[in-house]
């Protein structure tokens, strides 16, 4: 069939359920996907002449379902739900063109540097969610490492305090966000950690219809650093120079192996922006021409907007810089030929 022909949306897809949590009927969908592949002459992904990687950043309940811990409401109030409706439609319409779907999953446990339990004040109180912690806050004693968690983390409290100060300083020097105390979110084993059901359904349908195993990239388990980007941690070394975490070279190599990479997910201002920024840094250093093969699905991602914090402008500025560097900004409804050459 013509490479540019869009496929229909399967009749089972229900946009009203995109903002809900539900159980996927795997066997039923697998059977339909096999039939769908036959009806629409879909070939196995291994036969693709042009290899396309669709990267989905943190499309998880914790960020995408209203009422969950860090729902990305954007300015519309339902941004992540609206983004995922467009994303699902894009996947179904372009089953014949998407070779591989790669998924990053923010993955946390309770005791991590960006969760309230990590810090205490002089009275032993923890910071409220969305508290910004500066170098000055730590130097003045406003916030300090919680000594009660030292044993479970296997650290010396004094060293942990020094590392906390170092960490906040490194964030400040890099001109990234201040250390932010986030609500407990993306908790490993919890419902918030799971993929959005409607997106999982689309990914599973693609996997069966195109004989393509999705790739899952876990990030964020290190208790001593934030990990917005799948490529590397926010701070790589502690106060003594010891490595906290390294770059995800396997992921970078994977991007190089594809002809095109499309990127969507949440949140535009945080995990998407920093993943793309790190990717661009790597591309600039090793393969400048690769930037033109990266396409950002702008209508399938939204910025964090919460009371007192609106990162819309920062997200837009980041995307403008990506475009200036050679990456392409597209929408899921743009003509196929805007990103996929026939």
């Amino acid at each position: 069939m013509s490479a540019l022909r869009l496929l229909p949306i399967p009749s089972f897809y229900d946009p009203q359920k995109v903002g809900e949590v539900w159980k996927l009927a795997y066997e039923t969908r697998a059977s339909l996907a096999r039939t769908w592949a036959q009806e629409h002459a879909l070939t196995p992904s291994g036969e693709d002449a042009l290899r396309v990687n669709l990267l989905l950043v943190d499309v998880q309940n914790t960020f995408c379902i209203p009422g969950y811990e860090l729902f990305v409401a954007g300015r519309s109030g339902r941004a992540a739900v609206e983004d995922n409706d467009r994303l699902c439609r894009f996947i179904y319409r372009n089953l014949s063109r998407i070779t591989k779907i790669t998924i990053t999953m923010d993955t946390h446990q309770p005791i991590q540097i960006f969760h309230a339990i990590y810090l205490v004040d002089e009275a032993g109180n923890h910071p409220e969610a969305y508290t910004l912690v500066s170098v000055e806050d730590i130097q003045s004693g406003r916030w300090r490492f919680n000594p009660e968690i030292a044993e479970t983390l296997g650290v010396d409290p004094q060293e942990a305090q020094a590392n906390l100060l170092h960490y906040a300083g490194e964030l400040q020097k890099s001109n990234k966000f201040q250390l932010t105390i986030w609500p407990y979110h993306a908790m490993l084993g919890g419902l918030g950690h799971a993929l959005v059901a409607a997106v999982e359904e689309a990914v599973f349908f693609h996997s069966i219809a195109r004989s393509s195993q999705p790739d899952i990239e876990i990030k964020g388990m290190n208790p001593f650093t934030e990990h917005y980007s799948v490529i590397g941690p926010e701070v790589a070394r502690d106060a003594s120079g010891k490595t906290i975490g390294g770059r995800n070279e396997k992921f970078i190599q994977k991007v190089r192996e594809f002809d095109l990479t499309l990127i969507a997910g949440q949140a535009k201002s945080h995990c998407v922006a920093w993943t793309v920024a790190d990717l661009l840094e790597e591309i600039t250093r090793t393969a400048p021409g690769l930037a033109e093969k990266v396409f950002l699905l702008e209508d399938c991602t939204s910025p964090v907007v919460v009371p007192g914090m609106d990162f819309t402008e920062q997200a837009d500025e980041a995307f403008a810089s990506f475009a200036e560097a050679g990456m392409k900004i597209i929408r899921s409804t743009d003509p196929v030929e805007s990103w996929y050459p026939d």
Side-chain angles (χ1 to χ4, degrees):
M1 67 170 147
S2 170
L4 297 184
R5 183 168 70 83
L6 291 174
L7 294 173
I9 305 295
S11 60
F12 62 75
Y13 175 66
D14 184 354
Q16 300 304 314
K17 294 175 63 178
V18 175
E20 300 175 2
V21 177
W22 42 273
K23 180 180 179 295
L24 174 57
Y26 295 106
E27 297 301 328
T28 302
R29 290 294 173 265
S31 177
L32 182 56
R34 290 190 293 270
T35 301
W36 197 260
Q38 294 174 349
E39 291 178 351
H40 296 281
L42 301 182
T43 56
S45 62
E47 298 178 10
D48 287 357
L50 186 77
R51 292 173 52 76
V52 176
N53 179 31
L54 174 61
L55 171 60
L56 307 183
V57 177
D58 299 359
V59 187
Q60 298 163 261
N61 292 334
T62 201
F63 303 113
C64 300
I65 300 297
Y68 273 67
E69 300 84 12
L70 279 175
F71 175 59
V72 180
R75 289 181 174 174
S76 75
R78 283 180 58 83
V81 175
E82 297 160 350
D83 293 339
N84 285 335
D85 177 33
R86 290 185 283 265
L87 175 60
C88 288
R89 295 174 186 274
F90 180 82
I91 293 173
Y92 289 127
R93 287 171 176 151
N94 292 283
L95 278 177
S96 64
R97 281 171 284 276
I98 299 170
T99 308
K100 172 80 72 175
I101 298 180
T102 302
I103 303 163
T104 73
M105 297 191 73
D106 213 27
T107 306
H108 302 315
Q109 291 186 288
I111 303 175
Q112 299 199 238
I113 199 168
F114 45 80
H115 282 158
I117 193 173
Y118 202 91
L119 302 175
V120 290
D121 61 16
E122 290 184 352
N125 299 310
H126 302 298
E128 297 290 331
Y130 302 112
T131 296
L132 299 180
V133 180
S134 68
V135 170
E136 293 72 26
D137 289 332
I138 300 167
Q139 289 174 328
S140 68
R142 174 71 183 90
W143 298 114
R144 61 187 178 89
F145 174 75
N146 177 9
E148 294 184 356
I149 64 174
E151 190 278 332
T152 194
L153 292 179
V155 298
D156 175 79
Q158 290 185 336
E159 289 183 5
Q161 177 66 21
N163 286 332
L164 177 63
L165 178 60
H166 169 79
Y167 185 86
E170 289 299 296
L171 288 181
Q172 185 169 299
K173 284 193 296 186
S174 66
N175 292 319
K176 293 189 175 182
F177 304 113
Q178 283 184 301
L179 172 59
T180 303
I181 303 304
W182 295 108
Y184 295 99
H185 66 286
M187 302 296 286
L188 181 62
L191 287 176
H193 183 256
L195 289 176
V196 170
V199 176
E200 182 198 8
E201 183 175 49
V203 171
F204 180 77
F205 195 79
H206 171 270
S207 179
I208 302 301
R210 297 294 321 281
S211 299
S212 176
Q213 187 86 298
D215 282 345
I216 307 293
E217 294 280 347
I218 300 296
K219 67 180 179 67
M221 285 286 286
N222 192 314
F224 305 114
T225 181
E226 295 157 287
H227 215 301
Y228 294 119
S229 167
V230 68
I231 292 175
E234 295 308 298
V235 177
R237 295 183 182 276
D238 66 14
S240 67
K242 180 181 176 182
T243 298
I244 301 174
R247 294 176 72 78
N248 188 343
E249 297 295 340
K250 174 185 164 188
F251 174 84
I252 296 169
Q253 180 58 35
K254 186 188 305 179
V255 173
R256 291 194 187 105
E257 292 172 355
F258 285 90
D259 298 302
L260 302 177
T261 293
L262 313 175
I263 302 177
Q266 303 302 336
K268 180 181 180 181
S269 52
H270 288 70
C271 293
V272 172
W274 289 119
T275 292
V276 176
D278 280 357
L279 179 60
L280 180 57
E281 179 184 339
E282 182 67 23
I283 286 172
T284 302
R285 185 174 63 86
T286 62
L290 189 59
E292 297 180 356
K293 298 180 179 180
V294 177
F295 294 77
L296 309 180
L297 286 162
E298 191 172 32
D299 64 337
C300 296
T301 182
S302 292
V304 170
V305 178
V306 296
M309 295 183 185
D310 185 339
F311 292 98
T312 302
E313 291 184 8
Q314 292 94 320
D316 290 344
E317 289 172 1
F319 267 49
S321 70
F322 302 150
E324 186 176 350
M327 294 180 174
K328 306 296 193 301
I329 310 297
I330 62 170
R331 299 180 66 81
S332 62
T333 54
D334 284 348
V336 176
E337 55 267 28
S338 68
W339 61 272
Y340 189 95
D342 194 1

